[in-house]
Amino acid sequence: MTDKVYRVAAIGCGRKGTEHARAYNLNRRSVVVAGADPDPENLDIFTKRFGVPGYADYNEMLRKENVDIVLAVLPVIANREVVLDSVRHDVPSICTEKPLAARLSDADEIVAACRERGIKFGCGDLERNHHYYWEAKDRIAAGEIGAVRSIAFYQGSGTQLSGGGCQIFGLARLFADDAEVDWITGWVATDPWSEYDQGGAGYIRFVNGVEVFLHRSDTGRYGFEVLCERGRFTSDNMNVRMYTHDPDESRPTLINSMEVEAPFSDDEGVHGGFGQIDDEGWENPGNRQRATVQSMIDALDHDIEPRGNGDNGLKVLEMAIAIRESHRRGHAPVKLPLEDRSLRLIPHPSRMYNKKEVYGREAYAKEIARFTRGQKGAT
């Protein structure tokens, strides 16, 4: 095992960029060494918080700094240009936020460019990066509760299929063994002819036969459930449990289901620690964010793909668009991959564009103060 400490440079020094950067500094194997942002106010706050040099031009930063990981936490509208420029600088690893792009062809180009150069590309602070879910996947693969048959997501996709809703598709892909999607049918919350992100629901059929049912509205249950031949894995998006039943029982009930004892390595929860202020005055980025960082480090250490890699970012965007396309076609099944790569799904303004411009300077200042040393008054 290497003891190398990876050098991280942030492109985008706002609220979420600060959260990501703090998570990298909390990992003993990585350290933030520089930041770049065209907004001088954001850049000044970031460089003072982290004690690193700042650049108005990220290309200058990438020329001068010896960078292992580019942390590009940006409005979606800027992702394509920044990622492709980072690729040209031959950085070993790039991590962006979600969604990867609005248009499928842009996502295709980004993922292909990273793949061609052998760059480890991660897309998003994702639930699927958490070790809970990989431990569950491994136990299912080992036959502990039988093969996966279907997956149900109970809480709905809210108001975003490609934004926050991509968490659902990423988890569905994980427990379907990242198989290709055969077809999707579904509907969106309001106008199927709109190109703007919105909530939705539907049915996803993977080529390996795994079925996924996506509820539209919140229900009396939260999270998701993976139904297997001899048991189930369930998550409320914080806590996880696995249950099994007697293989001779043809009609398993709640009474004869048995919890699998201590299947997971800790009990802090998927988002454990998030929102708490530590002794240094920082808001804790939480377990999921720290798992995302570890996934990027593991990818470099072992020459493997990050758990939430660029291919996943592309596929979940395509799944979100396919649900809308099904609605446009009278809820007919839509085969994947989608042939029309010009299709797009425009994220909410706070994801698509600069948050300071969307929220206003005063409101954004409150947001950026949340993830920082200086919580007690300094900025």
Side-chain angles (χ1 to χ4, degrees):
M1 174 66 70
T2 179
D3 289 325
K4 177 177 180 178
V5 175
Y6 293 108
R7 293 169 57 85
V8 181
I11 304 177
C13 297
R15 179 190 66 80
K16 189 67 174 178
T18 298
E19 180 187 343
H20 274 272
R22 175 60 174 167
Y24 275 97
N25 270 3
L26 286 172
N27 192 301
R28 68 176 186 85
R29 299 289 312 290
S30 57
V31 61
V32 175
V33 299
D37 199 307
D39 184 319
E41 185 175 33
N42 284 2
L43 184 60
D44 182 61
I45 293 171
F46 186 91
T47 56
K48 288 177 179 176
R49 288 172 178 169
F50 290 95
V52 297
Y55 298 82
D57 180 354
Y58 65 83
N59 282 297
E60 180 186 2
M61 178 181 71
L62 295 179
R63 286 194 299 270
K64 291 183 176 180
E65 303 287 345
N66 181 22
V67 174
D68 298 301
I69 300 173
V70 167
L71 175 57
V73 183
L74 302 158
V76 173
I77 196 170
N79 264 355
R80 176 184 174 276
E81 179 180 1
V82 172
V83 172
L84 294 180
D85 282 343
S86 299
V87 168
R88 295 183 190 104
H89 285 279
D90 280 323
V91 297
S93 176
I94 302 170
C95 182
T96 68
E97 257 303 338
K98 57 187 185 295
L100 173 58
R103 194 180 300 277
L104 279 174
S105 58
D106 288 341
D108 289 337
E109 184 178 12
I110 291 169
V111 172
C114 291
R115 184 184 299 120
E116 288 168 6
R117 296 287 186 97
I119 293 170
K120 306 304 181 188
F121 180 42
C123 179
D125 174 21
L126 301 178
E127 305 283 306
R128 69 172 274 149
N129 292 333
H130 203 287
H131 65 85
Y132 280 167
Y133 297 131
W134 286 78
E135 288 175 26
K137 173 183 166 62
D138 289 345
R139 294 177 79 94
I140 292 170
E144 191 158 340
I145 57 175
V148 175
R149 290 294 185 242
S150 65
I151 310 167
F153 290 89
Y154 297 115
Q155 79 274 13
S157 60
T159 60
Q160 302 181 55
L161 281 167
S162 73
C166 74
Q167 300 281 12
I168 292 172
F169 299 124
L171 286 168
R173 295 190 67 251
L174 175 67
F175 284 100
D177 205 26
D178 283 335
E180 296 297 328
V181 173
D182 189 2
W183 54 272
I184 289 178
T185 184
W187 59 95
V188 292
T190 54
D191 179 10
W193 299 105
S194 171
E195 292 192 307
Y196 289 87
D197 203 358
Q198 55 190 299
Y203 171 88
I204 303 163
R205 178 81 175 191
F206 287 93
V207 295
N208 60 5
V210 173
E211 301 179 291
V212 177
F213 300 88
L214 173 61
H215 291 244
R216 167 68 190 98
S217 303
D218 288 348
T219 69
R221 300 191 66 179
Y222 195 72
F224 70 98
E225 195 165 44
V226 181
L227 303 176
C228 301
E229 291 173 309
R230 299 188 308 279
R232 69 189 190 278
F233 169 76
T234 184
S235 168
D236 61 8
N237 293 345
M238 176 59 79
N239 307 289
V240 297
R241 298 288 187 273
M242 185 179 286
Y243 299 90
T244 187
H245 63 265
D246 189 326
D248 295 328
E249 177 62 61
S250 61
R251 294 181 179 273
T253 65
L254 291 175
I255 294 175
N256 63 31
S257 292
M258 298 168 289
E259 184 173 351
V260 177
E261 185 177 357
F264 307 106
S265 59
D266 64 58
D267 58 1
E268 293 182 351
V270 176
H271 298 273
F274 183 79
Q276 300 174 6
I277 305 301
D278 65 22
D279 293 340
E280 297 179 5
W282 289 90
E283 179 166 309
N284 193 321
N287 285 347
R288 187 184 79 187
Q289 180 71 81
R290 296 179 74 165
T292 294
V293 169
Q294 189 60 52
S295 174
M296 298 302 298
I297 291 171
D298 289 344
L300 288 170
D301 277 352
H302 304 294
D303 192 23
I304 58 176
E305 285 291 297
R307 288 175 168 178
N309 61 21
D311 187 63
N312 179 72
L314 169 60
K315 296 291 176 59
V316 298
L317 173 63
E318 188 171 32
M319 291 163 76
I321 292 175
I323 284 181
R324 185 198 63 197
E325 291 303 296
S326 174
H327 194 152
R328 287 180 174 181
R329 303 177 194 180
H331 312 293
V334 172
K335 294 284 288 186
L336 269 67
L338 295 170
E339 293 183 4
D340 185 356
R341 309 308 286 182
S342 70
L343 291 171
R344 65 177 183 171
L345 193 56
I346 301 170
H348 280 202
S350 62
R351 293 185 187 272
M352 186 68 178
Y353 306 109
N354 188 304
K355 284 184 173 64
K356 184 181 286 189
E357 296 174 0
V358 173
Y359 293 156
R361 182 179 179 276
E362 183 176 351
Y364 186 72
K366 294 179 181 178
E367 284 285 312
I368 201 172
R370 290 175 51 212
F371 296 96
T372 176
R373 181 175 56 194
Q375 186 80 16
K376 301 173 183 177
T379 58

